[in-house]
Amino acid sequence: MKTYKAKGIVLNSVKYGESGLILYLYTDLFGRQEYIVQGLRSKGKKNSFFQPLFILDFIGYEPRYGSMHKIKEISLSPPLTTIPFDIRKNTISLFIAELIYRMVREANCDAKLFEFIHDSIITLDNTNEGISNFHMWFLVNLTYFLGIYPGNNYCKDHYFDIIAGEFTKDVSSSHTYFNLEDSEILGKFMNASVSEINDIKLSGLRRSNFLNSLFTFIGYHTDSINKIKSIDVLKEIF
């Protein structure tokens, strides 16, 4: 029975039998992976490890005959200090975890994607500024790993073409576009580091409309974005 050490980011968990869980992780070794965790649901401390976006160090093993991977030992690395207790950050963490769970389905190692998610979690946990914009910054940058990142840079008074995936001055009746304001906001998030997103000033309505535009764009190119249930809570909070 082969064992291995890995890091994993919690995406989701469901009950399994009387005291077990099926745990969905995004790992540094295998990408998305499912694990059976048995005998832990009754132990509150260990069960609390499995909240969305918690980062785990664990020893896993793959049983014989091709059954699901299992976890032998587990610890938090590092423990998150604000996300579980701040309603804004916690709502964003649920949204990000659901995004990855719904949209990243491949069990393939992608070190850069793991690093992006991992570093984003640490940043969200440590930051006090720009929280209201964090989920939009994350989603814009996630499109790079989904293979649909905008194909060119924003220019003033250009529209973002949802079908072509690029900014353009010329519009066609056969294509669908962001309006000018959403196109400009997209350009700002593309050019902003996470430390600069607090400088993007948006009202709650403007933020909601832009997020709808992003969902329309991603929904055109993928089939998973419209299944995201946490979006309604996110809009209510922000």
Side-chain angles (χ1 to χ4, degrees), residues 156-168:
K156 184 176 174 57
D157 295 330
H158 279 51
Y159 296 86
F160 182 69
D161 186 330
I162 288 173
I163 297 175
E166 59 185 23
F167 295 97
T168 181

Side-chain angles (χ1 to χ4, degrees), residues 60 135 164 187:
H135 55 291

Side-chain angles (χ1 to χ4, degrees), residues 2-147:
K2 182 180 178 182
T3 63
Y4 55 86
K5 292 183 178 180
K7 274 187 172 293
I9 296 165
V10 178
L11 305 180
N12 194 15
S13 62
V14 296
K15 293 180 181 180
Y16 177 75
E18 290 297 322
S19 62
L21 293 171
I22 295 178
L23 189 63
Y24 298 87
L25 302 180
Y26 194 80
T27 71
D28 59 344
L29 294 184
F30 307 110
R32 180 190 168 106
Q33 188 63 260
E34 300 173 11
Y35 291 86
I36 293 178
V37 183
Q38 293 178 310
L40 290 181
R41 276 203 287 125
S42 59
K43 300 177 182 179
K45 184 177 178 181
K46 288 289 183 66
N47 190 35
S48 68
F49 286 5
F50 306 135
Q51 303 303 309
L53 289 197
F54 275 26
I55 302 170
L56 310 177
D57 277 341
F58 66 95
I59 296 176
Y61 62 92
E62 185 176 1
R64 297 171 184 172
Y65 312 117
S67 58
M68 204 177 301
H69 289 223
K70 295 185 178 182
I71 289 179
K72 182 179 180 182
E73 297 179 18
I74 193 167
S75 62
L76 294 175
S77 178
L80 302 180
T81 59
T82 66
I83 288 176
F85 311 106
D86 184 315
I87 188 171
R88 300 169 302 163
K89 293 183 180 183
N90 189 256
T91 302
I92 290 172
S93 73
L94 293 174
F95 175 68
I96 290 175
E98 189 178 5
L99 277 177
I100 306 302
Y101 176 73
R102 298 288 183 191
M103 304 190 70
V104 181
R105 311 293 296 184
E106 298 82 7
N108 297 317
C109 177
D110 187 334
K112 290 185 176 180
L113 177 54
F114 180 87
E115 182 181 13
F116 169 66
I117 301 170
H118 177 278
D119 291 351
S120 295
I121 296 167
I122 300 300
T123 298
L124 178 61
D125 195 51
N126 291 332
T127 191
N128 292 313
E129 296 185 341
I131 295 171
S132 298
N133 287 335
F134 190 92
H135 55 291
M136 294 178 293
W137 174 87
F138 182 90
L139 186 52
V140 169
N141 284 277
L142 181 64
T143 62
Y144 172 81
F145 298 98
L146 300 176

Side-chain angles (χ1 to χ4, degrees), residues 191-202:
N191 291 320
S193 67
V194 69
S195 63
E196 296 171 328
I197 60 176
N198 192 48
D199 297 329
I200 303 175
K201 305 300 182 183
L202 301 172

Side-chain angles (χ1 to χ4, degrees), residues 215-233:
F215 266 55
T216 300
F217 165 58
I218 298 173
Y220 179 83
H221 294 278
T222 72
D223 61 358
S224 301
I225 194 72
N226 293 324
K227 299 177 182 178
I228 306 297
K229 297 178 181 178
S230 55
I231 182 66
D232 293 333
V233 180

Side-chain angles (χ1 to χ4, degrees), residues 143-156:
T143 62
Y144 172 81
F145 298 98
L146 300 176
I148 57 172
Y149 192 75
N152 60 353
N153 293 321
Y154 170 77
C155 293
K156 184 176 174 57

